């Protein structure tokens, strides 16, 4: 079972970082396949907490290799800052981190464009992280992007950057009245990171091909979540990449025939950061409690996350779109003490119940969730490692979720720490 893809099943922040760090113990390589430093993956062990944005969540296991794939958009400044931060805590990156030479680069004008568009009244505000993700992927698709491999050829890089600078300067000035930094300062800034980045640059699909041929265990790390996928999510309130399982193939150069398993990470309730429809969102004391107990604040921007009940329509859709073999349920402990717990089983809109995910944003935004209700539990489940020790009502809740989404839970997380986990099945 050498290649497994790990995807977020909701709107991100499901606890992918914790789970990938844990699974990495028995893997050889962790490879991130899409997104950029919009992601915030939290990892806790030995009473310490780390938040990773670009570097894969296997980095804290010193014998594991980590790959930033071609599908990721890389902000050189953010990457180098994160590398230094890790090195300062004693993590060795040399020979362990590989950055794809085909990955596209986020330039400062992408951030300007992202923030400009978000502030313009003419456009639908998405509530982006403001990291330049959308504009950078837009340039990639428009074939105007600058890639990591371009750093190897200063003349080519200069030429491409000049064309981009001239174009963006005109666009941003006329749209938002923004004056870009001069061309030379943009080039100098990029060149200042060149040496550091090129030291870690590789043709990563060849590396991964060889690792697969040797039967090594590879974890493909997704960022964001299924409902933020640009094709399958709640468009236009999505990110600009394919966070679903197929993104692992295009974002790493791993052929679909080599993927053995897909695992979905899913919270025992739902959260969302930014704008967009969220049928089970709660604006009452229960929602407030989920946010407070679950510490639901964005790991990247610090924004409070919107909270709501578990949505089985979302979960079933994610299982289908990603081809999920098994799920990993996180944050069960956050539900401790709720008298009643609700689960959405369908969306009711204009008298019709949608058991499947509708494409139209209007349906999702205006539907009424159909709820099943479960008795909660008063016991404390924080840190439980043995399934038998869970309160009966928690076991029943988990079992009903599994039935509703027709997928088993191979792991249940009962706290942020590596140790706070119920392992029901091993991956490799
Ligand atoms: P990611 O983006 O999917 O990696 O998730 P984030 O790190 O952004 O957000 C998940 C948050 O929940 C982090 O603060 C984790 O430390 C925390 N977390 C993960 N699993 C659990 C769990 O089972 N219980 C609790 N209470 N917190 C958890
Ligand atoms: P992880 O990997 C939660 C959301 C933003 C916004 C939308 C588009 O930690 O789960 P973008 O900056 O990507 O153009 O913003 O996507 N978003 C996330 N929400 N977790 C994330 O990553 C996210 N990355 C982006 O809040 O709604
Ligand atoms: Mg996160």
């Amino acid at each position: 079972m050498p290649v497994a893809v790990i995807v977020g099943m909701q709107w991100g922040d499901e606890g992918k970082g914790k789970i990938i760090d844990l699974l990495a113990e028995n893997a050889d390589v962790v490879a991130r396949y899409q997104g950029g430093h919009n992601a915030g993956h939290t990892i806790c062990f030995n009473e310490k907490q780390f938040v990773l944005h670009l570097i894969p969540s296997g980095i804290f296991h010193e014998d594991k290799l980590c790959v930033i794939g071609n599908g990721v958009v890389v902000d050189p400044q953010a990457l180098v800052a994160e590398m230094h931060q890790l090195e300062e805590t004693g993590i060795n990156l040399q020979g362990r981190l590989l950055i794809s030479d085909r990955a596209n680069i986020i330039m400062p004008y992408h951030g300007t464009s992202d923030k400009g568009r978000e502030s313009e009244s003419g456009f639908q505000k998405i509530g982006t992280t403001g990291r330049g993700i959308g504009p950078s992927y837009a340039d990639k698709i428009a074939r105007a992007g600058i890639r990591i491999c371009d750093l190897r050829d200063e003349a080519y890089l200069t030429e491409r950057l000049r064309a981009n600078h001239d174009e963006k300067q005109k666009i941003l000035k006329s749209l938002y009245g923004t004056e870009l930094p001069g061309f030379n300062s943009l080039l100098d800034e990029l060149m200042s990171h060149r040496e550091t980045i090129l030291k870690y640059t590789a043709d990563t699909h060849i590396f991964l091909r060889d690792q697969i041929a040797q039967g090594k265990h590879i974890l493909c790390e997704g960022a964001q979540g299924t409902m933020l996928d640009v094709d399958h999510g709640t468009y236009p309130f999505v990110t600009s990449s394919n966070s679903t399982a197929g993104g692992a193939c295009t974002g790493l150069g791993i052929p679909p025939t080599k993927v053995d398993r897909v695992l979905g990470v899913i919270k025992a309730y739902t959260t969302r950061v930014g704008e967009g429809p969220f049928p089970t969102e709660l604006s009452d004391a229960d929602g407030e409690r989920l946010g407070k107990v679950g510490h639901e604040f964005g790991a990247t921007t610090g924004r409070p996350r919107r909270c709501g009940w578990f949505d089985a329509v979302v979960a079933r859709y994610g299982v289908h779109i990603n081809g999920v073999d098994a799920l990993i349920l996180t944050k069960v402990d956050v539900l401790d003490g709720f008298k009643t717990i609700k689960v959405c089983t369908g969306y009711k809109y204009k008298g019709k119940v949608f058991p499947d995910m509708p494409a139209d944003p209007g349906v999702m935004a205006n539907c009424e969730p159909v709820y099943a209700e479960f008795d909660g539990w008063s016991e404390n489940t924080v840190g439980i490692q043995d399934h038998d020790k869970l309160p009966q009502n928690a076991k029943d809740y988990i079992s009903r979720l599994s039935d509703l989404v027709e997928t088993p839970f191979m792991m249940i997380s009962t706290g942020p720490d590596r140790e706070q986990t119920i392992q029901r099945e091993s991956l490799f």
Side-chain angles (χ1 to χ4, degrees):
M1 193 77 70
V3 180
V5 179
I6 319 294
V7 292
M9 293 290 289
Q10 294 151 320
W11 280 278
D13 304 326
E14 298 90 349
K16 299 175 292 295
K18 163 181 168 161
I19 299 302
I20 292 163
D21 165 74
L22 194 64
L23 293 171
E25 227 163 78
N26 297 314
D28 300 293
V29 180
V30 181
R32 172 85 182 269
Y33 61 82
Q34 43 70 237
H37 63 315
N38 48 349
H41 297 172
T42 315
I43 294 164
C44 304
F45 59 94
N46 295 345
E47 288 169 20
K48 281 193 278 246
Q49 178 182 292
F50 302 88
V51 180
L52 297 170
H53 301 284
L54 271 167
I55 295 184
S57 299
I59 203 71
F60 297 108
H61 298 275
E62 60 183 30
D63 55 336
K64 314 298 174 191
L65 295 164
C66 289
V67 172
I68 295 179
N70 57 278
V72 176
V73 282
V74 176
D75 180 318
Q77 203 189 343
L79 173 65
V80 170
E82 193 167 324
M83 287 166 69
H84 285 157
Q85 227 177 354
L86 286 171
E87 282 170 335
E88 274 164 22
T89 64
I91 306 292
N92 169 46
L93 300 175
Q94 205 64 58
R96 296 189 52 217
L97 177 67
L98 287 92
I99 304 161
S100 168
D101 51 7
R102 289 178 173 82
N104 272 249
I105 293 179
I106 301 183
M107 294 298 296
Y109 46 75
H110 292 132
T112 312
S113 167
D114 189 358
K115 288 178 205 130
R117 186 171 273 189
E118 285 281 285
S119 63
E120 280 296 293
S121 52
F123 255 107
Q124 177 75 65
K125 189 173 152 64
I126 307 295
T128 72
T129 59
R131 300 292 195 267
I133 306 294
S136 157
Y137 276 115
D139 269 356
K140 170 178 171 172
I141 301 301
R143 296 151 298 185
I146 292 171
R147 300 191 300 169
I148 297 285
C149 58
D150 301 341
L151 294 172
R152 293 183 186 133
D153 181 342
E154 194 175 342
Y156 181 72
L157 176 74
T158 307
E159 190 190 314
R160 267 188 96 73
L161 187 58
R162 184 167 304 277
N164 267 291
H165 183 265
D166 289 355
E167 181 196 46
K168 269 63 177 186
Q169 171 74 337
K170 284 186 201 130
I171 295 174
L172 294 174
K173 186 153 190 184
S174 78
L175 281 178
Y176 314 120
T178 313
E179 203 64 61
L180 278 187
F183 170 75
N184 285 333
S185 79
L186 213 58
L187 181 62
D188 289 350
E189 155 80 21
L190 190 53
M191 291 300 279
S192 72
H193 302 300
R194 179 167 98 141
E195 207 182 314
T196 312
I197 291 179
L198 286 183
K199 249 196 326 204
Y200 293 90
T201 299
D203 196 337
T204 51
H205 90 275
I206 290 181
F207 166 76
L208 290 167
R209 182 190 67 193
D210 293 346
Q211 292 286 305
I212 293 169
Q214 291 169 40
K216 294 284 172 68
H217 295 319
I218 296 163
L219 290 178
C220 306
E221 172 173 355
Q224 289 83 52
T226 301
M227 301 310 292
L228 288 172
D229 182 285
V230 66
D231 283 283
H232 303 292
T234 43
Y235 193 89
F237 303 98
V238 291
T239 191
S240 300
S241 60
N242 286 118
S243 44
T244 46
C249 295
T250 51
L252 291 169
I254 294 180
T257 46
K258 299 289 182 200
V259 173
D260 301 285
R261 216 155 177 220
V262 178
L263 305 179
V265 183
I266 193 159
K267 257 183 220 188
Y269 51 98
T270 314
T271 62
R272 172 163 209 175
V273 201
E275 310 296 315
F278 178 0
T280 64
E281 181 170 16
L282 295 167
S283 50
D284 59 5
D286 284 342
E288 214 170 287
R289 176 175 174 151
L290 287 172
K292 202 165 162 201
V293 179
H295 303 288
E296 296 296 355
F297 292 91
T300 295
T301 58
R303 291 176 290 175
R305 295 173 182 151
R306 300 153 65 191
C307 297
W309 298 119
F310 187 92
D311 186 333
V313 183
V314 164
R316 275 196 301 261
Y317 180 64
V319 164
H320 172 73
I321 288 286
N322 295 297
V324 168
D325 298 295
L327 288 164
I328 295 162
L329 186 66
T330 60
K331 305 193 93 159
V332 171
D333 54 295
V334 176
L335 296 177
D336 291 355
F338 275 94
K339 208 166 165 346
T340 304
I341 299 168
K342 294 189 191 177
V343 171
C344 169
T345 56
Y347 300 152
K348 198 168 177 187
Y349 181 70
K350 294 193 175 165
K352 186 179 160 204
V353 175
F354 287 71
D356 296 312
M357 187 60 61
D360 315 57
V363 178
M364 241 191 150
N366 300 305
C367 72
E368 192 191 317
V370 179
Y371 282 119
E373 293 196 8
F374 300 88
D375 290 333
W377 54 91
S378 55
E379 296 92 329
N380 180 353
T381 66
V382 178
I384 288 185
Q385 295 172 324
D386 180 352
H387 187 261
D388 290 343
K389 299 216 165 96
L390 285 173
Q392 189 55 47
N393 283 356
K395 283 189 210 159
D396 291 346
Y397 176 68
I398 293 166
S399 157
R400 280 295 291 135
L401 292 189
S402 181
D403 291 346
L404 276 170
V405 300
E406 295 171 0
T407 312
F409 288 111
M410 65 171 274
M411 218 188 261
I412 295 158
S413 173
T414 54
D417 196 88
R418 265 184 200 164
E419 311 286 320
Q420 296 174 309
T421 313
I422 300 169
Q423 299 256 16
R424 306 179 84 189
E425 188 199 325
S426 63
L427 171 61
F428 295 118

